PDB file of all heavy atoms in Angstrom:
ATOM      1  N   GLU H   1       0.843  -1.196   0.000  1.00  0.00           N
ATOM      2  CA  GLU H   1       0.000   0.000   0.000  1.00  0.00           C
ATOM      3  C   GLU H   1       0.877   1.243   0.000  1.00  0.00           C
ATOM      4  O   GLU H   1       1.736   1.409   0.867  1.00  0.00           O
ATOM      5  CB  GLU H   1      -0.914   0.035   1.224  1.00  0.00           C
ATOM      6  CG  GLU H   1      -1.820   1.261   1.261  1.00  0.00           C
ATOM      7  CD  GLU H   1      -2.660   1.330   2.514  1.00  0.00           C
ATOM      8  OE1 GLU H   1      -2.884   0.282   3.152  1.00  0.00           O
ATOM      9  OE2 GLU H   1      -3.097   2.441   2.871  1.00  0.00           O
ATOM     10  N   ARG H   2       0.669   2.085  -0.990  1.00  0.00           N
ATOM     11  CA  ARG H   2       1.396   3.352  -1.039  1.00  0.00           C
ATOM     12  C   ARG H   2       0.827   4.293   0.019  1.00  0.00           C
ATOM     13  O   ARG H   2      -0.351   4.653  -0.035  1.00  0.00           O
ATOM     14  CB  ARG H   2       1.282   3.974  -2.423  1.00  0.00           C
ATOM     15  CG  ARG H   2       2.074   3.223  -3.483  1.00  0.00           C
ATOM     16  CD  ARG H   2       1.821   3.768  -4.873  1.00  0.00           C
ATOM     17  NE  ARG H   2       2.688   3.133  -5.867  1.00  0.00           N
ATOM     18  CZ  ARG H   2       2.508   3.221  -7.180  1.00  0.00           C
ATOM     19  NH1 ARG H   2       1.468   3.908  -7.655  1.00  0.00           N
ATOM     20  NH2 ARG H   2       3.346   2.631  -8.006  1.00  0.00           N
ATOM     21  N   VAL H   3       1.677   4.666   0.962  1.00  0.00           N
ATOM     22  CA  VAL H   3       1.213   5.485   2.079  1.00  0.00           C
ATOM     23  C   VAL H   3       0.714   6.841   1.585  1.00  0.00           C
ATOM     24  O   VAL H   3      -0.268   7.385   2.106  1.00  0.00           O
ATOM     25  CB  VAL H   3       2.339   5.658   3.113  1.00  0.00           C
ATOM     26  CG1 VAL H   3       1.884   6.562   4.260  1.00  0.00           C
ATOM     27  CG2 VAL H   3       2.784   4.300   3.652  1.00  0.00           C
ATOM     28  N   SER H   4       1.349   7.386   0.566  1.00  0.00           N
ATOM     29  CA  SER H   4       0.995   8.726   0.095  1.00  0.00           C
ATOM     30  C   SER H   4      -0.393   8.780  -0.533  1.00  0.00           C
ATOM     31  O   SER H   4      -1.150   9.729  -0.332  1.00  0.00           O
ATOM     32  CB  SER H   4       2.033   9.212  -0.912  1.00  0.00           C
ATOM     33  OG  SER H   4       2.127   8.302  -2.008  1.00  0.00           O
ATOM     34  N   SER H   5      -0.755   7.739  -1.307  1.00  0.00           N
ATOM     35  CA  SER H   5      -2.017   7.767  -2.037  1.00  0.00           C
ATOM     36  C   SER H   5      -3.031   6.732  -1.563  1.00  0.00           C
ATOM     37  O   SER H   5      -4.213   6.831  -1.874  1.00  0.00           O
ATOM     38  CB  SER H   5      -1.756   7.538  -3.530  1.00  0.00           C
ATOM     39  OG  SER H   5      -1.192   6.247  -3.749  1.00  0.00           O
ATOM     40  N   GLY H   6      -2.568   5.726  -0.822  1.00  0.00           N
ATOM     41  CA  GLY H   6      -3.464   4.648  -0.407  1.00  0.00           C
ATOM     42  C   GLY H   6      -3.690   3.595  -1.472  1.00  0.00           C
ATOM     43  O   GLY H   6      -4.450   2.646  -1.254  1.00  0.00           O
ATOM     44  N   ASP H   7      -3.047   3.740  -2.647  1.00  0.00           N
ATOM     45  CA  ASP H   7      -3.206   2.758  -3.719  1.00  0.00           C
ATOM     46  C   ASP H   7      -2.572   1.429  -3.332  1.00  0.00           C
ATOM     47  O   ASP H   7      -1.504   1.388  -2.700  1.00  0.00           O
ATOM     48  CB  ASP H   7      -2.560   3.255  -5.009  1.00  0.00           C
ATOM     49  CG  ASP H   7      -3.403   4.300  -5.713  1.00  0.00           C
ATOM     50  OD1 ASP H   7      -4.602   4.397  -5.397  1.00  0.00           O
ATOM     51  OD2 ASP H   7      -2.858   5.026  -6.571  1.00  0.00           O
ATOM     52  N   ALA H   8      -3.223   0.347  -3.717  1.00  0.00           N
ATOM     53  CA  ALA H   8      -2.673  -0.991  -3.523  1.00  0.00           C
ATOM     54  C   ALA H   8      -1.909  -1.389  -4.779  1.00  0.00           C
ATOM     55  O   ALA H   8      -2.453  -1.318  -5.886  1.00  0.00           O
ATOM     56  CB  ALA H   8      -3.782  -1.991  -3.239  1.00  0.00           C
ATOM     57  N   VAL H   9      -0.638  -1.766  -4.620  1.00  0.00           N
ATOM     58  CA  VAL H   9       0.193  -2.162  -5.755  1.00  0.00           C
ATOM     59  C   VAL H   9       0.692  -3.585  -5.507  1.00  0.00           C
ATOM     60  O   VAL H   9       0.791  -4.034  -4.362  1.00  0.00           O
ATOM     61  CB  VAL H   9       1.382  -1.202  -5.966  1.00  0.00           C
ATOM     62  CG1 VAL H   9       0.879   0.196  -6.280  1.00  0.00           C
ATOM     63  CG2 VAL H   9       2.286  -1.172  -4.738  1.00  0.00           C
ATOM     64  N   THR H  10       0.989  -4.282  -6.594  1.00  0.00           N
ATOM     65  CA  THR H  10       1.477  -5.653  -6.520  1.00  0.00           C
ATOM     66  C   THR H  10       2.912  -5.714  -7.004  1.00  0.00           C
ATOM     67  O   THR H  10       3.234  -5.186  -8.083  1.00  0.00           O
ATOM     68  CB  THR H  10       0.607  -6.586  -7.375  1.00  0.00           C
ATOM     69  OG1 THR H  10      -0.748  -6.508  -6.918  1.00  0.00           O
ATOM     70  CG2 THR H  10       1.083  -8.025  -7.269  1.00  0.00           C
ATOM     71  N   VAL H  11       3.768  -6.352  -6.211  1.00  0.00           N
ATOM     72  CA  VAL H  11       5.165  -6.557  -6.574  1.00  0.00           C
ATOM     73  C   VAL H  11       5.407  -8.055  -6.658  1.00  0.00           C
ATOM     74  O   VAL H  11       5.112  -8.786  -5.705  1.00  0.00           O
ATOM     75  CB  VAL H  11       6.123  -5.925  -5.538  1.00  0.00           C
ATOM     76  CG1 VAL H  11       7.574  -6.111  -5.975  1.00  0.00           C
ATOM     77  CG2 VAL H  11       5.811  -4.447  -5.349  1.00  0.00           C
ATOM     78  N   THR H  12       5.905  -8.531  -7.781  1.00  0.00           N
ATOM     79  CA  THR H  12       6.250  -9.945  -7.933  1.00  0.00           C
ATOM     80  C   THR H  12       7.767 -10.064  -8.040  1.00  0.00           C
ATOM     81  O   THR H  12       8.420  -9.257  -8.715  1.00  0.00           O
ATOM     82  CB  THR H  12       5.583 -10.562  -9.178  1.00  0.00           C
ATOM     83  OG1 THR H  12       5.966  -9.800 -10.339  1.00  0.00           O
ATOM     84  CG2 THR H  12       4.068 -10.533  -9.044  1.00  0.00           C
ATOM     85  N   ILE H  13       8.309 -11.087  -7.394  1.00  0.00           N
ATOM     86  CA  ILE H  13       9.765 -11.251  -7.315  1.00  0.00           C
ATOM     87  C   ILE H  13      10.110 -12.685  -7.687  1.00  0.00           C
ATOM     88  O   ILE H  13       9.591 -13.637  -7.078  1.00  0.00           O
ATOM     89  CB  ILE H  13      10.274 -10.940  -5.892  1.00  0.00           C
ATOM     90  CG1 ILE H  13       9.925  -9.504  -5.517  1.00  0.00           C
ATOM     91  CG2 ILE H  13      11.769 -11.167  -5.779  1.00  0.00           C
ATOM     92  CD1 ILE H  13       9.837  -9.276  -4.050  1.00  0.00           C
ATOM     93  N   GLY H  14      10.946 -12.851  -8.694  1.00  0.00           N
ATOM     94  CA  GLY H  14      11.384 -14.182  -9.100  1.00  0.00           C
ATOM     95  C   GLY H  14      12.146 -14.855  -7.979  1.00  0.00           C
ATOM     96  O   GLY H  14      13.063 -14.254  -7.404  1.00  0.00           O
ATOM     97  N   ASP H  15      11.773 -16.090  -7.663  1.00  0.00           N
ATOM     98  CA  ASP H  15      12.406 -16.764  -6.532  1.00  0.00           C
ATOM     99  C   ASP H  15      13.867 -17.090  -6.816  1.00  0.00           C
ATOM    100  O   ASP H  15      14.709 -17.000  -5.920  1.00  0.00           O
ATOM    101  CB  ASP H  15      11.627 -18.040  -6.199  1.00  0.00           C
ATOM    102  CG  ASP H  15      12.201 -18.772  -5.003  1.00  0.00           C
ATOM    103  OD1 ASP H  15      12.295 -18.138  -3.933  1.00  0.00           O
ATOM    104  OD2 ASP H  15      12.551 -19.963  -5.132  1.00  0.00           O
ATOM    105  N   ARG H  16      14.200 -17.473  -8.051  1.00  0.00           N
ATOM    106  CA  ARG H  16      15.581 -17.822  -8.367  1.00  0.00           C
ATOM    107  C   ARG H  16      16.413 -16.591  -8.709  1.00  0.00           C
ATOM    108  O   ARG H  16      17.565 -16.470  -8.289  1.00  0.00           O
ATOM    109  CB  ARG H  16      15.620 -18.826  -9.520  1.00  0.00           C
ATOM    110  CG  ARG H  16      15.026 -20.186  -9.165  1.00  0.00           C
ATOM    111  CD  ARG H  16      15.287 -21.205 -10.259  1.00  0.00           C
ATOM    112  NE  ARG H  16      14.623 -20.863 -11.513  1.00  0.00           N
ATOM    113  CZ  ARG H  16      13.412 -21.265 -11.863  1.00  0.00           C
ATOM    114  NH1 ARG H  16      12.717 -22.045 -11.018  1.00  0.00           N
ATOM    115  NH2 ARG H  16      12.880 -20.928 -13.013  1.00  0.00           N
ATOM    116  N   SER H  17      15.838 -15.671  -9.456  1.00  0.00           N
ATOM    117  CA  SER H  17      16.611 -14.506  -9.910  1.00  0.00           C
ATOM    118  C   SER H  17      16.637 -13.392  -8.872  1.00  0.00           C
ATOM    119  O   SER H  17      17.553 -12.561  -8.870  1.00  0.00           O
ATOM    120  CB  SER H  17      16.010 -13.963 -11.211  1.00  0.00           C
ATOM    121  OG  SER H  17      14.693 -13.461 -10.992  1.00  0.00           O
ATOM    122  N   GLY H  18      15.635 -13.342  -8.005  1.00  0.00           N
ATOM    123  CA  GLY H  18      15.557 -12.248  -7.034  1.00  0.00           C
ATOM    124  C   GLY H  18      15.219 -10.922  -7.690  1.00  0.00           C
ATOM    125  O   GLY H  18      15.392  -9.860  -7.085  1.00  0.00           O
ATOM    126  N   LYS H  19      14.709 -10.984  -8.913  1.00  0.00           N
ATOM    127  CA  LYS H  19      14.408  -9.764  -9.655  1.00  0.00           C
ATOM    128  C   LYS H  19      12.939  -9.396  -9.495  1.00  0.00           C
ATOM    129  O   LYS H  19      12.051 -10.232  -9.643  1.00  0.00           O
ATOM    130  CB  LYS H  19      14.738  -9.966 -11.135  1.00  0.00           C
ATOM    131  CG  LYS H  19      14.462  -8.748 -12.001  1.00  0.00           C
ATOM    132  CD  LYS H  19      14.802  -9.032 -13.463  1.00  0.00           C
ATOM    133  CE  LYS H  19      14.486  -7.823 -14.339  1.00  0.00           C
ATOM    134  NZ  LYS H  19      14.779  -8.098 -15.773  1.00  0.00           N
ATOM    135  N   ALA H  20      12.716  -8.122  -9.180  1.00  0.00           N
ATOM    136  CA  ALA H  20      11.349  -7.631  -9.054  1.00  0.00           C
ATOM    137  C   ALA H  20      10.816  -7.252 -10.421  1.00  0.00           C
ATOM    138  O   ALA H  20      11.469  -6.528 -11.176  1.00  0.00           O
ATOM    139  CB  ALA H  20      11.292  -6.435  -8.113  1.00  0.00           C
ATOM    140  N   SER H  21       9.646  -7.756 -10.770  1.00  0.00           N
ATOM    141  CA  SER H  21       8.989  -7.358 -12.006  1.00  0.00           C
ATOM    142  C   SER H  21       8.454  -5.941 -11.851  1.00  0.00           C
ATOM    143  O   SER H  21       8.323  -5.434 -10.728  1.00  0.00           O
ATOM    144  CB  SER H  21       7.853  -8.325 -12.332  1.00  0.00           C
ATOM    145  OG  SER H  21       8.343  -9.637 -12.493  1.00  0.00           O
ATOM    146  N   PRO H  22       8.150  -5.280 -12.979  1.00  0.00           N
ATOM    147  CA  PRO H  22       7.584  -3.931 -12.866  1.00  0.00           C
ATOM    148  C   PRO H  22       6.379  -3.916 -11.934  1.00  0.00           C
ATOM    149  O   PRO H  22       5.522  -4.798 -11.974  1.00  0.00           O
ATOM    150  CB  PRO H  22       7.190  -3.602 -14.310  1.00  0.00           C
ATOM    151  CG  PRO H  22       8.112  -4.431 -15.150  1.00  0.00           C
ATOM    152  CD  PRO H  22       8.334  -5.697 -14.379  1.00  0.00           C
ATOM    153  N   VAL H  23       6.341  -2.910 -11.092  1.00  0.00           N
ATOM    154  CA  VAL H  23       5.267  -2.786 -10.115  1.00  0.00           C
ATOM    155  C   VAL H  23       3.936  -2.613 -10.850  1.00  0.00           C
ATOM    156  O   VAL H  23       3.824  -1.798 -11.782  1.00  0.00           O
ATOM    157  CB  VAL H  23       5.517  -1.593  -9.181  1.00  0.00           C
ATOM    158  CG1 VAL H  23       4.334  -1.396  -8.237  1.00  0.00           C
ATOM    159  CG2 VAL H  23       6.798  -1.811  -8.398  1.00  0.00           C
ATOM    160  N   VAL H  24       2.935  -3.404 -10.456  1.00  0.00           N
ATOM    161  CA  VAL H  24       1.613  -3.315 -11.061  1.00  0.00           C
ATOM    162  C   VAL H  24       0.760  -2.377 -10.215  1.00  0.00           C
ATOM    163  O   VAL H  24       0.369  -2.725  -9.095  1.00  0.00           O
ATOM    164  CB  VAL H  24       0.950  -4.706 -11.160  1.00  0.00           C
ATOM    165  CG1 VAL H  24      -0.436  -4.592 -11.783  1.00  0.00           C
ATOM    166  CG2 VAL H  24       1.833  -5.647 -11.978  1.00  0.00           C
ATOM    167  N   ALA H  25       0.541  -1.181 -10.738  1.00  0.00           N
ATOM    168  CA  ALA H  25      -0.288  -0.194 -10.032  1.00  0.00           C
ATOM    169  C   ALA H  25      -1.708  -0.258 -10.573  1.00  0.00           C
ATOM    170  O   ALA H  25      -1.925  -0.590 -11.748  1.00  0.00           O
ATOM    171  CB  ALA H  25       0.288   1.202 -10.218  1.00  0.00           C
ATOM    172  N   PRO H  26      -2.694   0.048  -9.756  1.00  0.00           N
ATOM    173  CA  PRO H  26      -4.089  -0.042 -10.218  1.00  0.00           C
ATOM    174  C   PRO H  26      -4.400   1.002 -11.281  1.00  0.00           C
ATOM    175  O   PRO H  26      -3.967   2.163 -11.185  1.00  0.00           O
ATOM    176  CB  PRO H  26      -4.899   0.200  -8.938  1.00  0.00           C
ATOM    177  CG  PRO H  26      -3.990   0.975  -8.044  1.00  0.00           C
ATOM    178  CD  PRO H  26      -2.610   0.480  -8.354  1.00  0.00           C
ATOM    179  N   GLN H  27      -5.142   0.593 -12.315  1.00  0.00           N
ATOM    180  CA  GLN H  27      -5.635   1.506 -13.334  1.00  0.00           C
ATOM    181  C   GLN H  27      -7.014   2.029 -12.911  1.00  0.00           C
ATOM    182  O   GLN H  27      -7.566   1.627 -11.882  1.00  0.00           O
ATOM    183  CB  GLN H  27      -5.718   0.784 -14.678  1.00  0.00           C
ATOM    184  CG  GLN H  27      -4.396   0.204 -15.148  1.00  0.00           C
ATOM    185  CD  GLN H  27      -3.347   1.260 -15.428  1.00  0.00           C
ATOM    186  OE1 GLN H  27      -3.651   2.313 -15.985  1.00  0.00           O
ATOM    187  NE2 GLN H  27      -2.109   0.990 -15.036  1.00  0.00           N
ATOM    188  N   SER H  28      -7.563   2.899 -13.715  1.00  0.00           N
ATOM    189  CA  SER H  28      -8.847   3.507 -13.352  1.00  0.00           C
ATOM    190  C   SER H  28      -9.944   2.464 -13.196  1.00  0.00           C
ATOM    191  O   SER H  28     -10.772   2.532 -12.280  1.00  0.00           O
ATOM    192  CB  SER H  28      -9.252   4.546 -14.405  1.00  0.00           C
ATOM    193  OG  SER H  28      -9.336   3.953 -15.697  1.00  0.00           O
ATOM    194  N   GLY H  29      -9.958   1.455 -14.074  1.00  0.00           N
ATOM    195  CA  GLY H  29     -10.957   0.400 -13.971  1.00  0.00           C
ATOM    196  C   GLY H  29     -10.756  -0.456 -12.739  1.00  0.00           C
ATOM    197  O   GLY H  29     -11.728  -0.891 -12.109  1.00  0.00           O
ATOM    198  N   ASP H  30      -9.501  -0.704 -12.354  1.00  0.00           N
ATOM    199  CA  ASP H  30      -9.219  -1.468 -11.139  1.00  0.00           C
ATOM    200  C   ASP H  30      -9.714  -0.709  -9.912  1.00  0.00           C
ATOM    201  O   ASP H  30     -10.278  -1.306  -8.982  1.00  0.00           O
ATOM    202  CB  ASP H  30      -7.722  -1.740 -11.017  1.00  0.00           C
ATOM    203  CG  ASP H  30      -7.166  -2.522 -12.194  1.00  0.00           C
ATOM    204  OD1 ASP H  30      -7.775  -3.548 -12.556  1.00  0.00           O
ATOM    205  OD2 ASP H  30      -6.152  -2.098 -12.754  1.00  0.00           O
ATOM    206  N   ARG H  31      -9.478   0.610  -9.902  1.00  0.00           N
ATOM    207  CA  ARG H  31      -9.958   1.406  -8.769  1.00  0.00           C
ATOM    208  C   ARG H  31     -11.479   1.388  -8.696  1.00  0.00           C
ATOM    209  O   ARG H  31     -12.060   1.270  -7.612  1.00  0.00           O
ATOM    210  CB  ARG H  31      -9.458   2.847  -8.892  1.00  0.00           C
ATOM    211  CG  ARG H  31      -7.948   3.013  -8.728  1.00  0.00           C
ATOM    212  CD  ARG H  31      -7.580   4.494  -8.609  1.00  0.00           C
ATOM    213  NE  ARG H  31      -6.150   4.667  -8.468  1.00  0.00           N
ATOM    214  CZ  ARG H  31      -5.315   4.893  -9.472  1.00  0.00           C
ATOM    215  NH1 ARG H  31      -5.800   4.964 -10.719  1.00  0.00           N
ATOM    216  NH2 ARG H  31      -4.030   5.050  -9.263  1.00  0.00           N
ATOM    217  N   ALA H  32     -12.120   1.501  -9.853  1.00  0.00           N
ATOM    218  CA  ALA H  32     -13.586   1.473  -9.860  1.00  0.00           C
ATOM    219  C   ALA H  32     -14.110   0.127  -9.356  1.00  0.00           C
ATOM    220  O   ALA H  32     -15.067   0.069  -8.578  1.00  0.00           O
ATOM    221  CB  ALA H  32     -14.105   1.749 -11.268  1.00  0.00           C
ATOM    222  N   ALA H  33     -13.461  -0.967  -9.783  1.00  0.00           N
ATOM    223  CA  ALA H  33     -13.878  -2.291  -9.330  1.00  0.00           C
ATOM    224  C   ALA H  33     -13.688  -2.437  -7.825  1.00  0.00           C
ATOM    225  O   ALA H  33     -14.518  -3.046  -7.138  1.00  0.00           O
ATOM    226  CB  ALA H  33     -13.094  -3.369 -10.077  1.00  0.00           C
ATOM    227  N   SER H  34     -12.596  -1.883  -7.296  1.00  0.00           N
ATOM    228  CA  SER H  34     -12.362  -1.936  -5.852  1.00  0.00           C
ATOM    229  C   SER H  34     -13.430  -1.155  -5.098  1.00  0.00           C
ATOM    230  O   SER H  34     -13.949  -1.601  -4.068  1.00  0.00           O
ATOM    231  CB  SER H  34     -10.972  -1.380  -5.511  1.00  0.00           C
ATOM    232  OG  SER H  34      -9.953  -2.194  -6.054  1.00  0.00           O
ATOM    233  N   TRP H  35     -13.789   0.017  -5.632  1.00  0.00           N
ATOM    234  CA  TRP H  35     -14.819   0.820  -4.988  1.00  0.00           C
ATOM    235  C   TRP H  35     -16.161   0.097  -5.002  1.00  0.00           C
ATOM    236  O   TRP H  35     -16.937   0.170  -4.042  1.00  0.00           O
ATOM    237  CB  TRP H  35     -14.931   2.187  -5.672  1.00  0.00           C
ATOM    238  CG  TRP H  35     -13.986   3.189  -5.091  1.00  0.00           C
ATOM    239  CD1 TRP H  35     -12.842   3.662  -5.658  1.00  0.00           C
ATOM    240  CD2 TRP H  35     -14.092   3.829  -3.814  1.00  0.00           C
ATOM    241  NE1 TRP H  35     -12.229   4.554  -4.820  1.00  0.00           N
ATOM    242  CE2 TRP H  35     -12.971   4.682  -3.684  1.00  0.00           C
ATOM    243  CE3 TRP H  35     -15.014   3.757  -2.777  1.00  0.00           C
ATOM    244  CZ2 TRP H  35     -12.764   5.460  -2.541  1.00  0.00           C
ATOM    245  CZ3 TRP H  35     -14.811   4.532  -1.643  1.00  0.00           C
ATOM    246  CH2 TRP H  35     -13.705   5.372  -1.533  1.00  0.00           C
ATOM    247  N   ILE H  36     -16.451  -0.597  -6.082  1.00  0.00           N
ATOM    248  CA  ILE H  36     -17.710  -1.361  -6.146  1.00  0.00           C
ATOM    249  C   ILE H  36     -17.744  -2.414  -5.043  1.00  0.00           C
ATOM    250  O   ILE H  36     -18.763  -2.584  -4.351  1.00  0.00           O
ATOM    251  CB  ILE H  36     -17.869  -2.003  -7.533  1.00  0.00           C
ATOM    252  CG1 ILE H  36     -18.190  -0.920  -8.575  1.00  0.00           C
ATOM    253  CG2 ILE H  36     -18.965  -3.069  -7.525  1.00  0.00           C
ATOM    254  CD1 ILE H  36     -18.181  -1.414  -9.996  1.00  0.00           C
ATOM    255  N   ARG H  37     -16.637  -3.121  -4.859  1.00  0.00           N
ATOM    256  CA  ARG H  37     -16.580  -4.126  -3.789  1.00  0.00           C
ATOM    257  C   ARG H  37     -16.696  -3.467  -2.418  1.00  0.00           C
ATOM    258  O   ARG H  37     -17.418  -3.954  -1.545  1.00  0.00           O
ATOM    259  CB  ARG H  37     -15.273  -4.929  -3.891  1.00  0.00           C
ATOM    260  CG  ARG H  37     -15.103  -5.936  -2.770  1.00  0.00           C
ATOM    261  CD  ARG H  37     -13.922  -6.847  -3.016  1.00  0.00           C
ATOM    262  NE  ARG H  37     -14.171  -7.751  -4.129  1.00  0.00           N
ATOM    263  CZ  ARG H  37     -14.867  -8.864  -4.041  1.00  0.00           C
ATOM    264  NH1 ARG H  37     -15.405  -9.227  -2.880  1.00  0.00           N
ATOM    265  NH2 ARG H  37     -15.051  -9.630  -5.094  1.00  0.00           N
ATOM    266  N   TRP H  38     -15.983  -2.364  -2.212  1.00  0.00           N
ATOM    267  CA  TRP H  38     -16.029  -1.692  -0.913  1.00  0.00           C
ATOM    268  C   TRP H  38     -17.432  -1.170  -0.601  1.00  0.00           C
ATOM    269  O   TRP H  38     -17.894  -1.254   0.536  1.00  0.00           O
ATOM    270  CB  TRP H  38     -15.025  -0.551  -0.884  1.00  0.00           C
ATOM    271  CG  TRP H  38     -13.597  -1.001  -0.982  1.00  0.00           C
ATOM    272  CD1 TRP H  38     -13.116  -2.268  -0.735  1.00  0.00           C
ATOM    273  CD2 TRP H  38     -12.474  -0.221  -1.381  1.00  0.00           C
ATOM    274  NE1 TRP H  38     -11.761  -2.313  -0.946  1.00  0.00           N
ATOM    275  CE2 TRP H  38     -11.331  -1.069  -1.345  1.00  0.00           C
ATOM    276  CE3 TRP H  38     -12.301   1.104  -1.762  1.00  0.00           C
ATOM    277  CZ2 TRP H  38     -10.062  -0.622  -1.665  1.00  0.00           C
ATOM    278  CZ3 TRP H  38     -11.024   1.554  -2.078  1.00  0.00           C
ATOM    279  CH2 TRP H  38      -9.911   0.703  -2.030  1.00  0.00           C
ATOM    280  N   ILE H  39     -18.085  -0.623  -1.619  1.00  0.00           N
ATOM    281  CA  ILE H  39     -19.459  -0.134  -1.414  1.00  0.00           C
ATOM    282  C   ILE H  39     -20.367  -1.283  -1.000  1.00  0.00           C
ATOM    283  O   ILE H  39     -21.183  -1.158  -0.082  1.00  0.00           O
ATOM    284  CB  ILE H  39     -19.977   0.547  -2.692  1.00  0.00           C
ATOM    285  CG1 ILE H  39     -19.265   1.897  -2.896  1.00  0.00           C
ATOM    286  CG2 ILE H  39     -21.493   0.754  -2.626  1.00  0.00           C
ATOM    287  CD1 ILE H  39     -19.552   2.531  -4.236  1.00  0.00           C
ATOM    288  N   HIS H  40     -20.235  -2.413  -1.657  1.00  0.00           N
ATOM    289  CA  HIS H  40     -21.087  -3.564  -1.345  1.00  0.00           C
ATOM    290  C   HIS H  40     -20.793  -4.113   0.046  1.00  0.00           C
ATOM    291  O   HIS H  40     -21.716  -4.523   0.766  1.00  0.00           O
ATOM    292  CB  HIS H  40     -20.890  -4.659  -2.387  1.00  0.00           C
ATOM    293  CG  HIS H  40     -21.814  -5.817  -2.221  1.00  0.00           C
ATOM    294  ND1 HIS H  40     -23.143  -5.763  -2.613  1.00  0.00           N
ATOM    295  CD2 HIS H  40     -21.627  -7.058  -1.682  1.00  0.00           C
ATOM    296  CE1 HIS H  40     -23.721  -6.910  -2.326  1.00  0.00           C
ATOM    297  NE2 HIS H  40     -22.831  -7.719  -1.767  1.00  0.00           N
ATOM    298  N   GLU H  41     -19.528  -4.134   0.423  1.00  0.00           N
ATOM    299  CA  GLU H  41     -19.147  -4.716   1.707  1.00  0.00           C
ATOM    300  C   GLU H  41     -19.319  -3.739   2.861  1.00  0.00           C
ATOM    301  O   GLU H  41     -19.293  -4.159   4.028  1.00  0.00           O
ATOM    302  CB  GLU H  41     -17.685  -5.169   1.657  1.00  0.00           C
ATOM    303  CG  GLU H  41     -17.430  -6.313   0.687  1.00  0.00           C
ATOM    304  CD  GLU H  41     -15.963  -6.652   0.575  1.00  0.00           C
ATOM    305  OE1 GLU H  41     -15.126  -5.836   1.053  1.00  0.00           O
ATOM    306  OE2 GLU H  41     -15.630  -7.716   0.028  1.00  0.00           O
ATOM    307  N   GLY H  42     -19.459  -2.443   2.558  1.00  0.00           N
ATOM    308  CA  GLY H  42     -19.531  -1.455   3.623  1.00  0.00           C
ATOM    309  C   GLY H  42     -18.177  -1.156   4.233  1.00  0.00           C
ATOM    310  O   GLY H  42     -18.101  -0.681   5.380  1.00  0.00           O
ATOM    311  N   SER H  43     -17.101  -1.419   3.506  1.00  0.00           N
ATOM    312  CA  SER H  43     -15.752  -1.191   4.019  1.00  0.00           C
ATOM    313  C   SER H  43     -15.114   0.006   3.321  1.00  0.00           C
ATOM    314  O   SER H  43     -15.566   0.433   2.256  1.00  0.00           O
ATOM    315  CB  SER H  43     -14.879  -2.433   3.795  1.00  0.00           C
ATOM    316  OG  SER H  43     -14.783  -2.743   2.411  1.00  0.00           O
ATOM    317  N   HIS H  44     -14.070   0.562   3.950  1.00  0.00           N
ATOM    318  CA  HIS H  44     -13.292   1.662   3.377  1.00  0.00           C
ATOM    319  C   HIS H  44     -14.133   2.916   3.119  1.00  0.00           C
ATOM    320  O   HIS H  44     -13.708   3.791   2.382  1.00  0.00           O
ATOM    321  CB  HIS H  44     -12.631   1.246   2.052  1.00  0.00           C
ATOM    322  CG  HIS H  44     -11.633   0.138   2.182  1.00  0.00           C
ATOM    323  ND1 HIS H  44     -12.014  -1.179   2.382  1.00  0.00           N
ATOM    324  CD2 HIS H  44     -10.288   0.130   2.152  1.00  0.00           C
ATOM    325  CE1 HIS H  44     -10.941  -1.942   2.457  1.00  0.00           C
ATOM    326  NE2 HIS H  44      -9.873  -1.176   2.326  1.00  0.00           N
ATOM    327  N   SER H  45     -15.334   2.989   3.683  1.00  0.00           N
ATOM    328  CA  SER H  45     -16.205   4.131   3.377  1.00  0.00           C
ATOM    329  C   SER H  45     -16.763   4.795   4.627  1.00  0.00           C
ATOM    330  O   SER H  45     -17.697   5.579   4.525  1.00  0.00           O
ATOM    331  CB  SER H  45     -17.372   3.671   2.480  1.00  0.00           C
ATOM    332  OG  SER H  45     -16.885   3.078   1.292  1.00  0.00           O
TER     333      SER H  45
END
């Protein structure tokens, strides 16, 4: 979780290489989908 923005990002790391893949940050559709889930669950609101 990015402290500055609250965005959830995913970091994947190769077990053998120890190399981090490019950070996957949420796009606008991902944020909208998250908000839909939060609204339904009554969380984060």
